[in-house]
């Protein structure tokens, strides 16, 4: 238990054991499951934690409440890493009222068979706890259909501190190492992990994120209490600006080159392309081997930079597996406004270049830059020149952005 502001406490937990978030995304620095307890005339818990961590979670709650009862629990988001403790919580506090919207309750029944003691709220509804008041802001598809956020202010004028309990929005990977509020820690490691979190989990839903930001645009938020990562106070404006930028699919004028390779020929082509692009003036270039770098980091960089060049061998008369997977993942993110060049290699049957073109034509719909390069077996003087031309073409197009 840690104090955030007067009457608001952090009662979340850290998970330093899980290797893959949602069974997909690496967690080299762990992850936090954040929950918050408001101690007023009425007591209110905002979100819970993954059920495996229920015992330290309930101990945190009792540190604040003592022997008092819990009156309400707000469910901003129904994913089990945030709602998983609800059924057990009811055993400790059988009279607690569960607050959510209609779509929340459909999921409560399906996940935990909870059907009674529910309080439905609609967008803009308020609940007075005493000195503090909650206002509920429905934010569907950020990033599930039932998601909402909860604003907490004092109930009388003049308004004091405004706290936003934002669910998964504004969250990031990484456990909390002692401190909870951003001004009490070095946040350097969290910024890239916020972008990786957003791009892989929320990234498809840019339009709903923009709608949520518009709903909150008139509110001067002092604290953002997300369900993962630090409580934002000192960096509230920066955090909101990151979400605004990412949800608009705005990108820096840089280049991501990602490639698959079996025997090094495609990798050598990628190096030629990178050198040509750098010599033509591109300063921000990142390179990823799709079989070595986890795709979540590649997707993060595609959100960050406008240019993308991909290349892979033909494999089993199709496209190299890991590149096929990456292009499928990118197609699901609905990233807009990117520039794409591509190249491929083959030993005895040409297919990679055609398959990448098909992915772009049918799914990605990125702007094609330069001429695709097809390499038979290994680089020649001719295909080396073509790779150089592709790198220069991308540099020239990026300079026009």
């Amino acid at each position: 238990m840690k104090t955030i502001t007067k009457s608001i406490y952090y009662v979340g937990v850290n998970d330093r054991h899980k290797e893959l978030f949602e069974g997909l995304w690496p967690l080299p620095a762990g992850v936090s499951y954040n929950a918050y307890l408001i101690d007023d005339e009425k007591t209110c818990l905002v979100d819970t934690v993954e059920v495996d961590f229920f015992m330290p979670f309930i101990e945190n709650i009792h540190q604040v409440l003592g022997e008092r009862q819990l009156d309400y629990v707000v469910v901003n988001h129904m994913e089990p890493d945030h709602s998983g403790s609800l059924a057990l919580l009811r055993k400790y506090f059988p009279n607690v009222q569960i607050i959510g919207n209609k779509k929340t309750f459909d999921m409560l029944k399906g996940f935990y068979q909870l059907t009674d003691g529910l309080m439905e709220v609609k967008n803009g509804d308020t609940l007075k706890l005493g000195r503090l008041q909650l206002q509920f802001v429905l934010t569907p598809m950020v990033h599930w259909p039932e998601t909402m956020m909860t604003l907490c202010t004092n109930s009388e004028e003049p308004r004091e501190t405004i706290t936003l309990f934002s669910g998964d929005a504004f969250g990031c990977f990484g456990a909390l190492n002692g401190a909870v509020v951003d001004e009490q820690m070095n946040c350097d490691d969290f910024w890239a992990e916020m972008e990786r979190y957003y791009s892989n989990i929320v990234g498809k839903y840019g339009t709903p994120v923009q709608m949520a930001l518009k709903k909150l645009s008139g509110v001067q938020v002092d604290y953002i209490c997300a369900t993962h990562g630090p409580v934002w106070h000192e960096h509230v404006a920066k955090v909101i600006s990151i979400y605004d930028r990412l949800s608009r699919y705005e990108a820096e004028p840089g280049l991501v080159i990602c490639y698959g390779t079996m025997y090094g020929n495609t990798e050598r082509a990628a190096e030629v392309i990178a050198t040509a692009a750098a010599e033509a003036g591109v300063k921000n270039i990142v390179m990823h081997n799709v079989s070595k770098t986890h795709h979540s980091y590649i997707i993060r960089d595609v959100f960050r930079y406008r240019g993308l060049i991909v290349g892979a061998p033909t494999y089993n008369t199709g496209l190299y597996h890991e590149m096929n997977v990456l292009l499928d993942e990118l197609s699901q993110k609905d990233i807009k406004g990117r520039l794409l060049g591509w190249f491929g290699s083959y030993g005895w049957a040409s297919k990679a270049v055609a398959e990448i073109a098909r992915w772009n034509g049918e799914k990605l719909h990125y702007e094609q830059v330069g001429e695709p390069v097809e390499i038979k077996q290994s680089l020649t003087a001719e295909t080396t020149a073509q790779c150089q031309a592709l790198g220069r073409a991308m540099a020239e197009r990026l300079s026009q952005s």
Side-chain angles (χ1 to χ4, degrees), residues 201-212:
I201 295 174
V202 187
K204 181 177 182 177
Y205 304 106
T207 298
V209 170
Q210 280 292 307
M211 293 175 65

Side-chain angles (χ1 to χ4, degrees), residues 148-167:
M148 66 182 195
M149 301 182 189
T150 303
L151 285 163
C152 180
T153 67
N154 59 305
S155 58
E156 299 176 355
E157 298 292 347
R159 294 285 189 249
E160 296 172 1
T161 299
I162 298 179
T163 301
L164 175 67
F165 300 100
S166 62

Side-chain angles (χ1 to χ4, degrees), residues 69-71 87-98 116-117:
Q69 289 299 301
L70 181 64
D71 296 303
L88 276 175
L89 192 73
R90 262 284 174 81
K91 296 184 182 299
Y92 283 76
F93 303 107
N95 297 318
V96 68
Q97 293 283 104
I98 300 177
D116 61 343

Side-chain angles (χ1 to χ4, degrees), residues 11 28 144 149 238 366 389:
V11 292
W144 275 25
M149 301 182 189
K238 179 175 181 177
Y366 297 161

Side-chain angles (χ1 to χ4, degrees), residues 41 103 123 133 196 262 325 340 354:
E41 292 175 21
K103 292 180 179 178
N123 188 64
Q133 176 176 281
R196 186 165 69 95
M262 291 185 287
V325 171
L340 179 66

